[in-house]
Amino acid sequence: MASLLYVCVRPETGAADAEHASFRRALGVDVVDRLDLLHEPLTEAHLDQYRGVVIGGSPFNVTDVEKTPVQRRVEADLETLARAAREQRIAAFFTCFSIGVLTRLLGGEVVTTMPEAASATVIDTTPDGAVDPVFGQSGPALTVFTAHKESAATTPPGAVLLATNAVCPVQAYRVGTHLYAAQFHPEPTPRDFADRMTFYRTTGYFDPAQFDAVQQEVLAASVTEGAALLRRFAELFG
């Protein structure tokens, strides 16, 4: 039985399948089970069965004005998962869209004023990040992939800021010992991220007229530390 669970919140099957494979490779384990929250709700059994959970990205936004019943249930399930991680019942690594869910749960503000287009970007670890068991070994700066329309305005109450940059100051934080959240995507290789772009060509993460140029910039990027973060998370909690 796998000790790690990938929680999928992507409606696009092809993108979700590829993201699952990316997480499995980045975590460095042979088997990572999968829960598709859009089709199957989170249960107590999931919280009892696994030691660690990673949550993938999504075209959803916490700030969406109109939400389907499915999106509302997905957000509620992610909040349940976050509460369980705060209580150390399970360890969780939230990414992309889900950091917004966690920020709101903690009483923080989610805004749309600090977006980052699909690209590789440099983030800096904070003093707290430098001594964190997951982020500390990555050094003072690491290059990761970003693509988001919303973000936390500031570090939410009860969270410890682990990584930042000038464009989006809240890049990663930790709550307690078992709950991590990253605005960026830690799991994809350049090839993974370039392929993922094809599913979101017209969804506002980059100028569709510049698709080829943006994709070539992604493929030329040197991005390795995101996967290193996930491997350390798996070593601690897998």
Side-chain angles (χ1 to χ4, degrees):
M1 181 181 72
S3 62
L4 294 172
L5 176 68
Y6 156 66
V7 174
C8 173
V9 287
R10 290 188 186 276
E12 306 84 5
T13 301
D17 291 345
E19 185 178 65
H20 184 197
S22 295
F23 268 109
R24 187 171 61 245
R25 182 178 58 247
L27 288 162
V29 296
D30 293 331
V31 180
V32 178
D33 287 348
R34 174 170 166 174
L35 169 64
D36 286 293
L37 273 190
L38 279 79
H39 307 291
E40 180 184 354
L42 180 74
T43 67
E44 285 293 313
H46 293 116
L47 301 178
D48 294 336
Q49 184 175 352
Y50 299 96
R51 293 190 61 205
V53 178
V54 292
I55 299 91
S58 177
F60 292 158
N61 289 289
V62 170
T63 55
D64 290 339
V65 176
E66 296 183 3
K67 299 181 182 181
T68 66
V70 169
Q71 181 174 345
R72 294 186 184 279
R73 180 185 56 74
V74 165
E75 292 182 9
D77 283 349
L78 291 176
E79 289 182 354
T80 297
L81 182 55
R83 292 188 186 98
R86 281 169 58 178
E87 296 166 0
Q88 300 182 24
R89 290 183 59 191
I90 196 168
F93 200 122
F94 284 60
T95 71
C96 189
F97 155 69
S98 59
I99 191 177
V101 176
L102 178 56
T103 296
R104 182 185 61 190
L105 176 66
L106 295 172
E109 182 184 8
V110 180
V111 297
T112 58
T113 55
M114 296 177 284
E116 290 179 286
S119 63
T121 189
V122 176
I123 63 175
D124 301 310
T125 52
T126 65
D128 286 311
V131 295
D132 179 78
V134 172
F135 278 76
Q137 296 180 47
S138 290
L142 53 156
T143 304
V144 294
F145 284 119
T146 58
H148 61 93
K149 301 174 184 177
E150 61 181 14
S151 62
T154 58
T155 309
V160 176
L161 185 67
L162 302 176
T164 184
N165 70 6
V167 177
C168 179
V170 183
Q171 286 288 346
Y173 60 74
R174 188 190 72 242
V175 180
T177 59
H178 283 54
L179 179 52
Y180 285 83
Q183 184 63 74
F184 56 89
H185 296 273
E187 82 287 348
T189 64
R191 180 75 264 173
D192 295 339
F193 199 73
D195 290 344
R196 186 178 300 171
M197 287 173 56
T198 63
F199 293 94
Y200 303 103
R201 184 187 292 259
T202 60
T203 54
Y205 294 105
F206 51 87
D207 181 354
Q210 298 297 315
F211 176 84
D212 291 339
V214 175
Q215 193 177 58
Q216 288 306 308
E217 290 178 1
V218 165
L219 288 170
S222 177
V223 174
T224 60
E225 283 304 303
L229 298 176
L230 290 173
R231 282 195 300 274
R232 289 193 286 273
F233 177 82
E235 290 167 359
L236 285 170
F237 303 112

